[in-house]
Amino acid sequence: QVQLVESGGGLVQTGGSLRLSCAASGRTFSSYDMGWFRQAPGKKREFVAAIGTSGGSRNYADSVKGRFTISRDNAKNTVYLQMNSLKPEDTAVYYCAAKYSPAVQYTYWGQGTQVTVSS
């Protein structure tokens, strides 16, 4: 069982930056692939970024490439999402997720943190 708790959301102006954190419980954090997803009002949840167990493998949605960076610190059981050059269309609830590598589907989800980008 893995519990995920996101933090770092808030209100920021267009062009600003935020860093989201996701703290995971458990002693096997390094065995889990981690991801960030988001859901805007009236829209389906969408993939944002993912990182492999060691941090060497990362991938991003086209909409955030070059602006967002995912990273992890296995010693702290934490995954991060650095978001730069934020746009109003980035406004959403951001969710952290985990899957035991090499499973396909994410099994564990956090409660979400709100990110609002004002124009």
Side-chain angles (χ1 to χ4, degrees), residues 61-78:
D62 288 343
S63 58
V64 306
K65 279 181 183 176
R67 300 188 298 122
F68 291 11
T69 301
I70 189 171
S71 62
R72 67 189 296 162
D73 186 336
N74 286 344
K76 294 182 178 180
N77 282 15
T78 302

Side-chain angles (χ1 to χ4, degrees), residues 19-101:
R19 188 175 83 154
L20 305 183
S21 299
C22 173
S25 65
R27 295 176 291 178
T28 58
F29 177 73
S30 60
S31 297
Y32 289 83
D33 296 325
M34 301 298 296
W36 286 97
F37 294 75
R38 67 187 182 187
Q39 187 168 19
K43 295 187 177 181
K44 293 182 178 180
R45 186 165 57 191
E46 64 175 3
F47 168 78
V48 175
I51 188 167
T53 55
S54 64
S57 172
R58 310 181 192 193
N59 57 86
Y60 299 91
D62 288 343
S63 58
V64 306
K65 279 181 183 176
R67 300 188 298 122
F68 291 11
T69 301
I70 189 171
S71 62
R72 67 189 296 162
D73 186 336
N74 286 344
K76 294 182 178 180
N77 282 15
T78 302
V79 63
Y80 305 96
L81 185 68
Q82 177 67 45
M83 305 186 295
N84 298 328
S85 302
L86 283 161
K87 306 174 181 180
E89 51 264 43
D90 294 318
T91 295
V93 177
Y94 283 72
Y95 297 92
C96 173
K99 62 180 180 75
Y100 191 76
S101 188

